[in-house]
Amino acid sequence: MAKEVEGVSEQPEYSAKDYHDPPPAAFFDLDELTKWSFYRALIAEFVATLLFLYIKVLTVIGYKHQTDPDAGGADCGGVGILGIAWAFGGMIFILVYCTAGISGGHINPAVTFGLFLARKVSLPRAFFYMVAQCLGAICGVGLVKAFQRSYYHRYEGGANMVAPGYTKGVGLSAEIIGTFVLVYTVFSATDPKRNARDSHVPVLAPLPIGFAVFMVHLATIPITGTGINPARSFGAAVIYGADKAWDDQWIFWVGPFVGAAIAALYHQYILRAGAIKALGSFRSNV
C-alpha cells in the first residue's frame, strides 16, 4: 500500500517483470544421483514410456488386423488413421498429465534433448532419462508381442519404417518437422512467461502437447508411421528385429534430435530473445 511520509506520497513498487524464469540447470550435477526424487523420476519415465508403447503398438496392430482382407477385415474397418492419431495424442495427454509433477513428463528422448539444450535439465538427468525411456519402450513392445504373438510379426510389430514410394530424405524431413512441432509446443506450453501473462486463461500444458502429437501423426503416419520419438522407434525395432526396421532406424534418431534442437534454439534465442539478452549483457560488461 502507498503511504505518506512527511506529506510525500510513496507509490507502491512494481516489478517490471511479472514472471520469473527458473535458473538454468547445472550442466553436470552429480548431486542428483544421491536423491530419491531422481530415481523416482526415472521410474516414472520408464513406466510412462512402457505404457505409451504398449497402447501405441497394440492400436497399430489392431488396426492392421481389422483392415486385413486375408483375415476377414475391410478397408473401412478399424479405427483408421484418425483413430490411431487420437490414441497416440490422447495417451500422451494422459501420461504427461500423470508424470509432469514427478519427472516433467518427457516420455521422449527428443523432448529430453531439447530441454537439455535449453538448460532445463542436467546432462546426467538427460542421459538417464533417455536410457529409462528406451528400456520402457522395449518392455512395452515386448508385452505386446507376448500378448499378440500371432499378429505381431504378421503386421510388422508396429515398427517405424519409411513407407514405399517415399525416399529416406522425405522420411527424414517429416521426422524433423514433426518433432519440431512437438518440442516447440512443449516449450510454449510450459513457458513461465505464458503462465504469468495468460493466467486469466487456464492452460493445461498436457493438452496442447497431446494435440501436437495428434496433428503430427495425421500428417506423417503415411510417410514413416510417425516416429518423432526415438525410444518408440528403437523399442519397436529391438523387439521386431527385421532388417528394414534397422535400415531406417537412423532416420528416427537423427530427425527427432535435429527437430528438437531447432525448436529449442528457436524458442530460447528468438522468441524469448535469449541471443539479444546475452548480447546486451556482454555489452554492459565491456
Side-chain angles (χ1 to χ4, degrees), residues 56 88 159-161 175 217 220-227 232 252:
K56 183 164 187 170
F88 298 164
N160 285 125
M161 293 174 278
E175 290 296 307
H217 274 76
T220 59
I221 283 177
I223 304 172
T224 62
T226 307
R232 176 262 185 272
F252 302 103

Side-chain angles (χ1 to χ4, degrees), residues 78-199:
V79 296
I81 289 179
L82 182 63
I84 293 174
W86 270 122
F88 298 164
M91 198 62 187
I92 285 295
F93 166 70
I94 293 168
L95 293 173
V96 172
Y97 180 82
C98 292
T99 59
I102 301 170
S103 65
H106 297 193
I107 322 172
N108 184 337
V111 171
T112 300
F113 181 65
L115 293 173
F116 166 68
L117 292 180
R119 300 287 304 277
K120 305 293 185 182
V121 295
S122 67
L123 178 61
R125 181 176 290 267
F127 173 77
F128 284 108
Y129 268 28
M130 293 181 191
V131 172
Q133 291 156 0
C134 288
L135 291 176
I138 292 171
C139 292
V141 181
L143 285 178
V144 175
K145 184 175 180 179
F147 296 152
Q148 295 280 353
R149 184 173 294 274
S150 60
Y151 298 135
Y152 182 81
H153 281 287
R154 180 175 182 175
Y155 301 118
E156 301 179 324
N160 285 125
M161 293 174 278
V162 177
Y166 294 97
T167 65
K168 293 185 184 296
V170 171
L172 179 63
S173 299
E175 290 296 307
I176 291 173
I177 296 171
T179 310
F180 173 86
V181 172
L182 170 59
V183 177
Y184 173 42
T185 304
V186 170
F187 275 106
S188 297
T190 58
D191 190 337
K193 185 174 183 179
R194 172 183 293 275
N195 293 337
R197 298 286 171 83
D198 299 343
S199 57

Side-chain angles (χ1 to χ4, degrees), residues 26-37:
F27 179 79
F28 201 84
D29 186 6
L30 291 179
D31 288 342
E32 287 185 314
L33 304 181
T34 65
K35 299 177 182 178
W36 163 242
S37 60

Side-chain angles (χ1 to χ4, degrees), residues 41-57:
L42 292 183
I43 294 170
E45 288 293 309
F46 171 84
V47 172
T49 314
L50 183 155
L51 294 174
F52 177 59
L53 266 291
Y54 176 75
I55 296 298
K56 183 164 187 170
V57 175

